[in-house]
Amino acid sequence: MSIRVGTRGSALATTQTGLVARRIETLTGQPVEIVRIRTEGDVRTGSLAQMGGTGVFVAALREALLDGRCDVAVHSLKDLPTGAAEGLTLVTPERENPRDVLCARNGWTLETLPRGAKVGTGSPRRAAQLLAVRPDLDVRDIRGNVDTRLARALGPDADLDAVVLAYAGLSRLGRLDAVSEVIDVRVMAPAPGQGALGVEVRTADLSPLSSFDLRPDGATDRPLDLADVVAGLDHLPTRLAVLAERALLARLEAGCAAPVGAHAVVEDDEIRLAAVVARLDGGQVLTHSARVALPSPAGAAGRAAAGSTSAVRSSAEAHDTAVATDALAGGLGIQVADALLAAGAADLAPLRATGPGATTDSLWAPGTAPSADTQGSDGEAPVGGTDAPVGPEQR
């Protein structure tokens, strides 16, 4: 029996899904069938914000997963709402480069673009950060797939001087030849989750078999057990980085119309998160960064080698460590978001944030999102030291 993997029908979506499908085949030894699902975002025209946000690309895929038309759904993680999807579990494979890129005529960079150059993007985040560093640019709202956008700047009938796209999408499509500049994250912070894929499965397909699943002959009526797939796809540094970024996004309650950028990295046993909230016209930008130390896995690993009894105990300890580590990542995002809110981010950009107490729950595997007691409504999340100034910077 094949495993059915649902995807949007665009060239980028099917390419990304193909990467996941091949990995699932390797993990399970089972054939994989790719199922194309048409979403509302593929049918409607207009800007993403006018259509209601990134969720327009997600709902149809989730419906197909829940009603059994597919067994796995693959999304661009930045398209996924931060709230939990009941009955689904999310896992994140290894992330591609999250940076944005400039694709410009004549090999121009942000610094060398002519004064008044026309630059296309469908993202308020990119537009605001472009204008923050180059207020003279003529930033135009555009839509369309990757080839359509590239043609606006590089095609024979080009009407723009440049477009800004994601490195990850161009890399997966083999189109990095179109890039004239990979933009530094200190100049243009990426969207939370950019470059990462979100793979969702039905939570029921991860549960241990119960007596209700078993027939009298000992066989099972449940078609799939995807626990090994979820474990095999999970990439810990990616999971922690995007947990921090998406916790920040959830705390700010920022939709796709809000110019919010975030970039987290996991290095040297710590997570570092930097975030940006900008005014839509780029006239003012708030930034804040912080870091948190991660628990060392060395103790549990050493005890696991001591014998079968301690190995069982260490397995439970490893799960507890994963849960606690996920909570640290989410707490870091909340801490940075609260610092930005305290500095006036909600007055600067179109946010719906309510500050402490905002909901950030989501379903993650094999760890969990931050628990309620790490998000508390009265105090800061329990995270470690910061490399940021006491107050967020303005630039």
Side-chain angles (χ1 to χ4, degrees), residues 9-62:
S10 72
L12 178 56
T14 55
T15 298
Q16 293 176 160
T17 299
L19 298 173
V20 174
R22 288 190 289 276
R23 178 63 177 151
I24 292 175
E25 285 180 332
T26 300
L27 289 168
T28 65
Q30 294 181 247
V32 172
E33 174 190 356
I34 293 180
V35 179
R36 288 171 175 79
I37 306 293
R38 174 170 281 198
T39 73
E40 186 179 1
D42 298 315
V43 177
R44 296 176 60 184
T45 60
S47 73
L48 194 58
Q50 289 172 337
M51 289 192 296
T54 53
V56 297
F57 295 122
V58 173
L61 275 171
R62 283 178 163 173

